Amino acid sequence: MIHSLFLINAAGDIFLEKHWKSVVSRSVCDYFFEAQERASEAENVPPVIPTPHHYLLSVYRHKIFFVAVIQSEVPPLFVIEFLHRVVDTFQDYFGVCSEVIIKDNVVVVYEVLEEMLDNGFPLATESNILKELIKPPTILRTVVNTITGSTNVGDQLPTGQLSVVPWRRTGVKYTNNEAYFDVIEEIDAIIDKSGSTITAEIQGVIDACVKLTGMPDLTLSFMNPRLLDDVSFHPCVRFKRWESERILSFIPPDGNFRLLSYHVSAQNLVAIPVYVKHNISFRDSSSLGRFEITVGPKQTMGKTVEGVMVTSQMPKSVLNMTLTPSQGTHVFDPVTKLLSWDVGKINPQKLPSLKGSVSLQAGTSKPDENPTINLQFKIQQLAISGLKVNRLDMYGEKYKPFKGIKYMTKAGKFQVRT
Amino acid sequence: MQTDNLELKKLVYLYLMNYAKSQPDMAIMAVNTFVKDCEDPNPLIRALAVRTMGCIRVDKITEYLCEPLRKCLKDEDPYVRKTAAVCVAKLHDINAQLVEDQGFLDTLKDLISDSNPMVVANAVAALSEIAESHPSSNLLDLNPQSINKLLTALNECTEWGQIFILDCLANYMPKDDREAQSICERVTPRLSHANSAVVLSAVKVLMKFMEMLSKDLDYYGTLLKKLAPPLVTLLSAEPELQYVALRNINLIVQKRPEILKHEMKVFFVKYNDPIYVKLEKLDIMIRLASQANIAQVLAELKEYATEVDVDFVRKAVRAIGRCAIKVEQSAERCVSTLLDLIQTKVNYVVQEAIVVIKDIFRKYPNKYESVIATLCENLDSLDEPEARAAMIWIVGEYAERIDNADELLESFLEGFHDESTQVQLQLLTAIVKLFLKKPTETQELVQQVLSLATQDSDNPDLRDRGYIYWRLLSTDPVAAKEVVLAEKPLISEETDLIEPTLLDELICHIGTLASVYHKPPGAFVEGGRGVVHKSLPPRTGSSESAESPDTAPAGVPAADQPSVIPTQGDLLGDLLNLDLGPPVSGPPVATSSVQMGAVDLLGGGLDSLMGGGSGGFAPAPGTAVPSNTGAPLGSGLGDLFDLTGGVGTLSGSYVAPKTVWLPAMKAKGLEISGTFSRQVGSISMDLVLTNKALQVMSDFAIQFNRNSFGLAPAAPLQVHAPLAPNQSVEISLPLNTVGSVMKMDPLNNLQVAVKNNIDVFYFSTLYPLHILFVEDGKMERQMFLATWKDIPNENETQFQIKDCSLNADSVSSKLQGSNIFTIAKRNVEGQDMLYQSLKLTNGIWVLAELRIQPSNPSFTLSLKCRAPEVSQYVYQAYETILKN
């Protein structure tokens, strides 16, 4: 199982280490540093690195490498999933997960890590339970602690671990009972030069924020559950019920959690809400090139496309770009060669465009590769796959909760080739 | 420590964990409190105490831990039991002997049947970890009842527990296809889990048990369909998860390409994927490429070839070449794509393109040579050895079509000593080829290169090759032409496929480090520990038909398989091209059946060279004795039977008389007859080859198709002298059983391909099963009894052996000769009962009960075996042995 965990910052310093079994020397990380040196960018460090006696599995999040050390044959996904859980927990506790924050809260971090694994076996990884064991730091609590001399360690043991619903703590009480569900869909797509779709798929999630008293039992039904043929559920969802009736039935965890994630890949179901018209040309003879992009809405079901952001990695030989946008602001960084254009809202009557010229390094031939355009956007009140929640019912408790559903469509990895 | 303040208690425990080691004597004083806390009314305190105690690695304390631990393992509260289960694993790590002595392992095994799913999961996890350091112990010996418990627990425990349980399930071997199916049905819901490790472990269980399901079953199809979406979903996760998933998908695609054949698009590369994900995706794209999607794939690959990352671009260009080789219909388009890429003049793209075009030339000779001119234009820009060597190979191979081939090669020759060995060797071969094609103008050039290679070089390979050519050319240019310009074997379609047996083993390890490295666990898991090899279960469905050809990994039915048997000339040709990469799908072939004349010409130098290098000239295995039967054409068969009289009657099992396998009519005058025999542990195929044609036959080679027991030739077929018309030769070909395995119908069917200088011939024959009975097939009596009981009754089959007049003793001695061992003999009510055992080369045991009534000439044979499909063939073997 998992032996040790090292946290390494971008500069290559080990700033935190935790051992669940015997101590593994820091020098084991030298193999990791070697691999890091070989990789051109931090993202490209291979996730599994063998060393003579151990294996190093790493994830790279928030500019920190989380490196787990294992000694025997352990499913690598198990370890990587666990590392993700560690990152999520830190983020949950401290709001952001960065070197500074971790160093500031080093005591809480150690306490949390101690509770997450026992001898390398996962012990309590649900944030609900962890928060009961070790209270997350808040300003108020810090002040109180300094005055009274108490700490963040909870004075009771997690009762949830004993129940049949380990994800929910007992004795929850709220004055306002509310349950919110966000249906968020991300479109991953590759669009080719001519504007036709090469691949498109939707990664959807339903994130919930449930603050309900007692032990509520919820059911959520959809208008068109047939859309969901490739789903992953939170452990609280009763799978049998879904199989037979296509209804989500569950006792929710307290607070924020991801109820469900789904995947729609059938090409005809994926509508592409925006299009990009582009004309980027580098000429061989002169050191100037032309650059023109226009962004427009396509299938948006009458909703506004907002938060549009266009980024593109220009070839190395581009020296500078002289561009004028019809709206929004643009920046070209001559060092990283990254062009970004913050467009904002798309007005269908007056399409935003960015025009101008590109100056190339003199004496070099025209670049071989064409820049790929990366697009970000948001559409409120629309789930692009057409998924709609029918109704939400609550059983097991007497009060009437306040319910809310929100839809949103976002661009995931949305790339246009030129 | 005896405080009631929980926070304080925790802190003290933490302190103890860290400092007990440096102060062992002081730590002992804490034991009492631990013991007391283990009896606390609050289950959480009991659990905390036992958890902490396990973390203190001080021997003296460990001794005191046993009692509280034993109590906690039987605690009424599941939370305490669950914690205690992990504690056993901790303790085992500290003192394994103690754990065994105290009987904790049995208690842990009992916990598998616990009522609480979390306890079950932790018990399984602890046992798995302990089992890893004790590979021989049967800690996780599962039976249908415990499997049922695990499956129930699977639905209710945490995600981590599910992983442990699924991994444990994967080690179970269901007894029949029905059980396999029911397990699959209960595991399938795990495919929708949010935790990718759970999903992949579930995929492992399904992939493994699917092996047992019959392909005709509706359920089999449903399962295939259900496997695709979760695998696709894994690819939308974080890059690290994607990487592990892709490595595993790579295996799954090789084993069962049908699962993902429609999902090509999800493997398309996004430009900001990390490089390790990009390379894996590319690999899978090529594996999935087929006629249906090749256009899309090519368009993508072309796109990738203009990206920034050099490694990725190179691989993409290579991938285009692999597509051309794999999908014949696309070859033309691939070549034109490659030409487009060459036009970009990007240095490394051009070089890669030339390397793959060379492979395309070898796969489709005389088809795309029109592009050579374009290639030649880029000659100067090549600076990498591999690309230079490829280009030189092309120039040499097509010297007759390139007007200025001599000039081109001469230009390379100027810096001969600065080139890498690969290029030097290739240059030498190319110039010799050129000389053989255009002898008049290039004499000077060839002399120059030969002297450079033999006199001025320190490289033994280069020198030796130079000498070979020199001798060849100086003694007999015609022979040289035959050798150097011989037809080359086609290159195989799929490159770097994982060998099937390894693939099967890796499929059993999906989701583990082994599957990420594509190496069996034994190859890298820390030494010292033996590793249990896992294998896929055999298919048990009775309605099983032979695997359809389209599911065979190569995707080619045996008859069309290109270059199954390269001839001698091919091999030499190949030798010449050896340093030019792509694996050739040929078996090792005799290096010795060169025409005698040629051997003489080459003289002692080559002789010793070849002898040292390959041992090919040593006439040890399978020696052929040419003998002129002198018989007229028609009566060859009778003579053959006479010939066999002298052979095969040594000690050893029964040998059937030779029968004609391949009549001369069907094989352009080559008649093959033969039989199988087993002598002192080795199996051989005794063949008689008769030339009934009017021309001399030579260059014989033999190969077997994959078969049920992995029979394969252990040595090449050696026919030393060419076979003159009307001559026959008797050969004993040694066989082994390490070849690749594919279930045949009937089970003992063997498909054979024989090649000679005229053509390739195919025939199939049935081999008697008793050649596979091994010498150590005698079972211990106790073992026999236990096994007999252990094999379910439905696996028992009864046969009648009629008209056999032997008595029990002679039966048993006769059978013993063929490695069927009598373990016990009983006389029950006047009947003789013989209990016998035998073992097949693949380790399958067959137990037999033979009932002989003195008055009745027909015996009753009952066979019991875990693989009941062999019974019928064992019976046939019995009958053959007893009646002859």
Side-chain angles (χ1 to χ4, degrees):
Chain A
M1 292 292 113
I2 301 168
H3 259 248
S4 308
L5 174 74
F6 293 98
L7 303 195
I8 299 174
N9 64 11
D13 299 325
I14 304 170
F15 66 90
L16 191 123
E17 58 185 296
K18 165 79 192 156
H19 306 277
W20 283 280
K21 290 185 170 181
S22 43
V23 175
V24 178
S25 156
R26 268 176 183 235
S27 58
V28 78
C29 289
D30 293 348
Y31 295 96
F32 178 81
F33 295 134
E34 260 172 49
Q36 196 183 7
E37 240 165 73
R38 246 173 287 143
S40 51
E41 283 161 66
E43 284 84 5
N44 288 343
V45 178
V48 186
I49 301 167
T51 78
H53 301 288
H54 300 92
Y55 291 87
L56 307 177
L57 289 102
S58 62
V59 302
Y60 181 66
R61 292 285 174 284
H62 310 287
K63 304 218 158 69
I64 302 171
F65 287 101
F66 293 77
V67 184
V69 182
I70 58 174
Q71 196 159 25
S72 53
E73 175 72 90
V74 180
L77 282 185
F78 171 95
V79 181
I80 294 174
E81 279 279 358
F82 176 78
L83 292 178
H84 283 157
R85 208 56 61 88
V86 171
V87 181
D88 293 345
T89 311
F90 287 169
Q91 212 164 1
D92 200 30
Y93 263 78
F94 314 125
V96 279
C97 175
S98 69
E99 192 190 343
V100 180
I101 288 280
I102 292 176
K103 277 184 176 165
D104 284 352
N105 294 287
V106 76
V107 178
V108 180
V109 166
Y110 270 110
E111 282 169 343
V112 168
L113 289 176
E114 180 63 36
E115 290 299 335
M116 287 182 89
L117 286 184
D118 172 20
N119 197 38
F121 292 100
L123 192 65
T125 51
E126 284 286 336
S127 88
N128 262 304
I129 295 169
L130 280 172
K131 279 190 180 161
E132 238 179 295
L133 286 168
I134 296 142
K135 301 239 161 52
T138 58
I139 294 172
L140 179 69
R141 195 167 296 132
T142 324
V143 174
V144 173
N145 285 350
T146 350
I147 297 166
T148 61
S150 61
T151 61
N152 287 327
V153 177
D155 50 4
Q156 43 180 296
L157 281 156
T159 41
Q161 282 193 323
L162 293 176
S163 75
V164 282
V165 276
W167 54 84
R168 188 171 178 90
R169 61 195 173 100
T170 48
V172 186
K173 271 210 178 83
Y174 288 102
T175 41
N176 293 325
N177 287 298
E178 42 193 20
Y180 297 108
F181 292 87
D182 292 353
V183 180
I184 302 166
E185 298 195 336
E186 291 193 2
I187 307 177
D188 287 354
I190 303 179
I191 313 287
D192 77 355
K193 272 189 201 42
S194 58
S196 50
T197 313
I198 295 179
T199 66
E201 52 190 20
I202 296 173
Q203 315 288 352
V205 294
I206 300 185
D207 282 342
C209 174
V210 177
K211 294 181 172 170
L212 298 173
T213 308
M215 270 286 168
D217 197 330
L218 303 180
T219 58
L220 187 72
S221 64
F222 297 97
M223 306 273 259
N224 39 9
R226 214 177 282 175
L227 271 174
L228 303 175
D229 63 340
D230 180 6
V231 280
S232 323
F233 296 117
H234 188 274
C236 68
V237 176
R238 299 185 179 98
F239 192 75
K240 284 255 164 56
R241 189 94 190 269
W242 169 257
E243 285 273 273
S244 56
E245 299 169 57
R246 299 268 136 180
I247 285 176
L248 294 181
S249 155
F250 55 97
I251 295 174
D254 185 46
N256 294 313
F257 66 101
R258 176 156 295 173
L259 178 64
L260 153 86
S261 55
Y262 59 95
H263 182 89
V264 180
S265 57
Q267 202 91 147
N268 46 358
L269 290 173
V270 183
I272 302 292
V274 289
Y275 70 88
V276 177
K277 253 200 328 213
H278 51 82
N279 183 5
I280 302 172
S281 58
F282 306 111
R283 256 160 297 167
D284 233 345
S285 49
S286 75
S287 56
L288 273 184
R290 280 221 334 250
F291 185 94
E292 187 178 343
I293 321 181
T294 313
V295 190
K298 221 160 132 185
Q299 294 156 293
T300 60
M301 330 284 167
K303 302 279 195 302
T304 327
V305 184
E306 50 191 336
V308 180
M309 176 90 174
V310 177
T311 49
S312 182
Q313 179 72 49
M314 290 292 144
K316 285 206 174 62
S317 50
V318 172
L319 271 187
N320 210 345
M321 305 182 82
T322 327
L323 303 168
T324 33
S326 68
Q327 70 177 74
T329 52
H330 80 282
V331 182
F332 176 73
D333 183 344
V335 181
T336 58
K337 316 284 182 199
L338 189 74
L339 170 72
S340 52
W341 174 30
D342 190 349
V343 185
K345 245 184 227 173
I346 296 183
N347 177 0
Q349 270 74 50
K350 192 173 160 293
L351 296 179
S353 65
L354 182 68
K355 277 185 219 172
S357 61
V358 185
S359 57
L360 297 172
Q361 215 159 7
T364 50
S365 58
K366 86 178 178 123
D368 311 312
E369 73 269 9
N370 276 328
T372 304
I373 298 170
N374 233 358
L375 215 60
Q376 282 168 330
F377 55 82
K378 256 191 255 172
I379 306 172
Q380 302 283 3
Q381 296 310 314
L382 173 74
I384 198 86
S385 69
L387 187 75
K388 269 222 146 59
V389 173
N390 187 17
R391 53 182 295 139
L392 175 72
D393 297 303
M394 189 184 76
Y395 305 94
E397 295 289 335
K398 295 255 167 3
Y399 56 87
K400 254 206 140 26
F402 184 80
K403 300 177 276 194
I405 307 263
K406 211 169 77 185
Y407 297 92
M408 176 143 85
T409 297
K410 286 200 284 196
K413 292 175 184 157
F414 197 102
Q415 306 185 348
V416 182
R417 292 178 180 162
T418 62
Chain B
M1 263 186 88
Q2 299 184 12
T3 170
D4 288 334
N5 183 324
L6 188 66
E7 190 183 348
L8 216 53
K9 199 182 258 310
K10 267 190 163 180
L11 286 175
V12 175
Y13 277 180
L14 208 63
Y15 181 87
L16 269 172
M17 265 191 246
N18 285 316
Y19 294 100
K21 221 166 183 181
S22 49
Q23 300 272 327
D25 293 329
M26 300 283 278
I28 294 258
M29 292 159 74
V31 167
N32 206 12
T33 325
F34 278 124
V35 175
K36 220 171 113 202
D37 277 352
C38 284
E39 283 163 10
D40 196 278
N42 184 344
L44 296 159
I45 302 232
R46 294 203 293 276
L48 187 64
V50 80
R51 177 181 157 202
T52 315
M53 239 175 140
C55 292
I56 299 176
R57 304 177 71 93
V58 175
D59 279 341
K60 281 183 193 156
I61 293 198
T62 329
E63 286 164 27
Y64 293 101
L65 177 59
C66 294
E67 268 326 298
L69 179 59
R70 201 189 315 281
K71 253 182 228 157
C72 287
L73 279 168
K74 301 221 162 98
D75 199 283
E76 54 178 17
D77 194 284
Y79 183 75
V80 181
R81 291 203 298 276
K82 164 186 131 157
T83 318
V86 177
C87 192
V88 176
K90 289 183 197 167
L91 193 57
H92 188 269
D93 195 30
I94 302 169
N95 191 342
Q97 196 56 45
L98 186 72
V99 172
E100 277 164 45
D101 294 346
Q102 296 279 335
F104 283 134
L105 293 183
D106 294 319
T107 326
L108 209 49
K109 276 190 226 172
D110 292 342
L111 285 184
I112 290 188
S113 334
D114 198 278
S115 57
N116 186 294
M118 313 276 251
V119 179
V120 178
N122 273 17
V124 169
L127 278 173
S128 309
E129 187 169 273
I130 295 173
E132 210 168 329
S133 50
H134 283 262
S136 51
S137 60
N138 287 330
L139 283 176
L140 282 165
D141 213 2
L142 299 169
N143 53 41
Q145 286 78 41
S146 53
I147 285 294
N148 203 13
K149 282 273 179 198
L150 289 184
L151 286 168
T152 317
L154 183 61
N155 288 325
E156 293 164 32
C157 64
T158 64
E159 48 199 315
W160 314 110
Q162 293 185 11
I163 300 169
F164 297 133
I165 294 183
L166 286 169
D167 284 347
C168 175
L169 278 178
N171 292 333
Y172 176 64
M173 194 70 85
K175 63 178 189 303
D176 55 19
D177 51 341
R178 237 172 308 141
E179 191 184 0
Q181 179 174 347
S182 79
I183 295 177
C184 285
E185 277 165 3
R186 294 178 68 177
V187 166
T188 322
R190 295 303 119 211
L191 292 176
S192 317
H193 203 282
N195 186 317
S196 58
V198 175
V199 175
L200 206 57
S201 290
V203 168
K204 162 163 63 182
V205 175
L206 295 177
M207 281 295 285
K208 193 174 172 190
F209 289 177
M210 230 165 132
E211 199 68 13
M212 295 186 70
L213 301 177
S214 157
K215 289 196 171 166
D216 317 327
L217 232 69
D218 288 345
Y219 182 71
Y220 182 84
T222 328
L223 201 55
L224 275 186
K225 268 190 219 120
K226 279 195 177 158
L227 276 171
L231 290 175
V232 171
T233 308
L234 288 181
L235 294 183
S236 51
E238 286 81 357
E240 298 91 4
L241 297 173
Q242 272 189 49
Y243 171 73
V244 177
L246 284 165
R247 290 295 283 176
N248 282 290
I249 288 172
N250 201 330
L251 294 175
I252 294 169
V253 164
Q254 287 183 55
K255 180 75 188 165
R256 298 194 185 280
E258 61 271 33
I259 294 178
L260 286 168
K261 68 177 172 211
H262 299 302
E263 304 290 347
M264 171 62 95
K265 285 189 172 174
V266 297
F267 298 104
F268 285 178
V269 173
K270 305 222 165 60
Y271 87 97
N272 46 6
D273 282 336
I275 181 76
Y276 53 83
V277 169
K278 282 183 176 174
L279 296 176
E280 282 305 314
K281 279 188 173 173
L282 201 55
D283 213 38
I284 296 172
M285 275 173 71
I286 302 162
R287 293 203 197 284
L288 286 175
S290 66
Q291 207 182 331
N293 54 25
I294 193 74
Q296 263 183 334
V297 174
L298 268 184
E300 279 295 305
L301 291 176
K302 200 175 167 188
E303 195 72 41
Y304 303 159
T306 60
E307 283 214 21
V308 194
D309 194 293
V310 178
D311 282 341
F312 181 59
V313 171
R314 281 169 181 274
K315 191 149 183 188
V317 176
R318 239 163 233 240
I320 297 176
R322 273 170 72 183
C323 283
I325 289 163
K326 193 174 170 200
V327 186
E328 186 164 4
Q329 291 80 0
S330 75
E332 191 153 357
R333 217 176 328 186
C334 294
V335 171
S336 73
T337 310
L338 287 171
L339 280 182
D340 287 350
L341 290 174
I342 289 178
Q343 299 303 352
T344 63
K345 306 268 179 199
V346 179
N347 194 297
Y348 51 86
V349 174
V350 173
Q351 309 214 29
E352 280 303 318
I354 285 179
V355 172
V356 295
I357 285 181
K358 179 213 71 196
D359 289 346
I360 296 176
F361 281 168
R362 283 201 63 188
K363 170 80 182 178
Y364 310 109
N366 304 320
K367 226 171 153 186
Y368 300 109
E369 281 71 13
S370 51
V371 306
I372 291 176
T374 326
L375 301 186
C376 290
E377 288 165 18
N378 293 291
L379 211 58
D380 302 332
S381 64
L382 307 178
D383 51 12
E384 288 163 29
E386 203 181 352
R388 284 174 84 89
M391 192 64 220
I392 293 170
W393 182 87
I394 293 172
V395 173
E397 189 65 21
Y398 299 101
E400 68 273 25
R401 307 188 194 205
I402 305 170
D403 297 334
N404 59 345
D406 47 344
E407 288 168 31
L408 293 177
L409 291 176
E410 203 170 355
S411 68
F412 281 110
L413 205 54
E414 281 160 16
F416 189 76
H417 289 297
D418 301 331
E419 301 281 5
S420 74
T421 316
Q422 190 183 15
V423 180
Q424 289 178 338
L425 285 168
Q426 211 43 251
L427 195 55
L428 172 62
T429 306
I431 291 178
V432 172
K433 281 181 188 165
L434 174 71
F435 170 69
L436 289 168
K437 286 174 180 173
K438 298 180 181 171
T440 45
E441 311 119 64
T442 54
Q443 201 148 7
E444 211 171 293
L445 192 63
V446 81
Q447 264 165 6
Q448 198 185 342
V449 76
L450 285 175
S451 81
L452 277 173
T454 52
Q455 284 159 23
D456 303 341
S457 169
D458 299 332
N459 185 321
D461 281 350
L462 186 65
R463 228 168 34 217
D464 285 350
R465 193 185 281 194
Y467 278 125
I468 293 175
Y469 286 144
W470 204 324
R471 288 229 179 128
L472 263 177
L473 293 173
S474 57
T475 43
D476 186 352
V478 183
K481 207 161 185 169
E482 270 176 42
V483 172
V484 179
L485 301 179
E487 204 179 302
K488 276 164 285 297
L490 296 177
I491 58 175
S492 68
E493 318 227 321
E494 288 270 8
T495 41
D496 54 72
L497 275 179
I498 296 176
E499 181 212 336
T501 44
L502 176 60
L503 180 62
D504 283 353
E505 195 183 342
L506 289 177
I507 287 285
C508 300
H509 288 284
I510 283 179
T512 65
L513 283 171
S515 68
V516 172
Y517 287 112
H518 292 185
K519 279 183 199 158
F524 62 88
V525 167
E526 278 276 87
R529 300 168 174 179
V531 174
V532 188
H533 282 269
K534 298 183 184 173
S535 57
L536 288 174
R539 198 160 291 219
T540 55
S542 50
S543 60
E544 167 66 11
S545 56
E547 266 189 54
S548 55
D550 61 336
T551 55
V556 189
D560 306 334
Q561 211 150 7
S563 73
V564 182
I565 302 144
T567 58
Q568 176 57 26
D570 287 350
L571 192 91
L572 265 188
D574 212 59
L575 201 75
L576 303 179
N577 291 296
L578 212 55
D579 23 46
L580 275 177
V584 178
S585 75
V589 173
T591 45
S592 59
S593 59
V594 196
Q595 299 197 341
M596 283 321 235
V599 175
D600 285 340
L601 283 174
L602 291 168
L606 179 61
D607 213 333
S608 59
L609 190 105
M610 300 276 273
S614 63
F617 270 77
T623 316
V625 189
S627 64
N628 196 333
T629 60
L633 267 169
S635 67
L637 194 66
D639 280 14
L640 292 179
F641 276 105
D642 291 344
L643 274 172
T644 59
V647 198
T649 46
L650 298 156
S651 75
S653 59
Y654 166 72
V655 182
K658 290 195 176 79
T659 46
V660 176
W661 285 340
L662 183 71
M665 305 246 301
K666 283 193 180 163
K668 301 192 180 159
L670 174 70
E671 184 180 86
I672 301 178
S673 54
T675 185
F676 293 92
S677 66
R678 183 183 185 93
Q679 277 167 23
V680 237
S682 60
I683 309 168
S684 55
M685 184 175 185
D686 303 320
L687 292 167
V688 175
L689 307 178
T690 311
N691 182 355
K692 295 193 174 176
L694 297 172
Q695 69 187 109
V696 177
M697 291 180 180
S698 60
D699 302 348
F700 286 97
I702 191 163
Q703 196 183 10
F704 296 171
N705 194 6
R706 297 194 294 159
N707 52 69
S708 316
F709 292 93
L711 277 177
L717 184 66
Q718 300 198 351
V719 183
H720 276 312
L723 200 56
N726 238 351
Q727 200 184 30
S728 66
V729 61
E730 203 171 306
I731 302 156
S732 172
L733 178 73
L735 306 182
N736 59 28
T737 53
V738 297
S740 17
V741 175
M742 178 172 80
K743 194 174 170 185
M744 302 295 290
D745 190 32
L747 207 61
N748 56 347
N749 190 3
L750 179 67
Q751 296 175 340
V752 183
V754 170
K755 175 160 184 168
N756 62 13
N757 57 337
I758 301 169
D759 204 350
V760 187
F761 311 106
Y762 302 94
F763 64 89
S764 70
T765 174
L766 300 176
Y767 49 90
L769 211 62
H770 66 260
I771 61 163
L772 301 171
F773 297 172
V774 295
E775 278 66 22
D776 62 343
K778 185 158 187 165
M779 218 181 224
E780 290 290 310
R781 276 177 105 118
Q782 292 304 322
M783 186 71 182
F784 182 89
L785 275 175
T787 319
W788 185 272
K789 279 189 201 138
D790 206 31
I791 299 176
N793 279 334
E794 56 265 31
N795 281 13
E796 181 169 346
T797 23
Q798 279 209 353
F799 301 94
Q800 294 287 327
I801 302 173
K802 293 208 176 72
D803 303 327
C804 194
S805 53
L806 300 164
N807 65 23
D809 289 332
S810 51
V811 163
S812 110
S813 69
K814 202 159 184 180
L815 290 174
Q816 177 118 23
S818 294
N819 295 336
I820 301 173
F821 300 95
T822 305
I823 289 162
K825 184 180 150 190
R826 273 200 304 164
N827 193 299
V828 183
E829 296 162 3
Q831 302 178 351
D832 277 325
M833 309 284 274
L834 294 181
Y835 294 95
Q836 299 174 317
S837 74
L838 60 96
K839 189 167 108 179
L840 298 179
T841 45
N842 58 358
I844 295 179
W845 284 93
V846 181
L847 309 185
E849 181 196 79
L850 191 63
R851 193 186 310 154
I852 304 171
Q853 285 168 292
S855 52
N856 191 342
S858 60
F859 303 165
T860 312
L861 175 69
S862 309
L863 294 175
K864 255 189 165 185
C865 176
R866 288 191 201 276
E869 57 269 61
V870 303
S871 299
Q872 190 197 343
Y873 304 96
V874 174
Y875 156 67
Q876 281 169 8
Y878 262 87
E879 197 164 56
T880 341
I881 299 164
L882 289 175
K883 292 197 176 165
N884 290 288

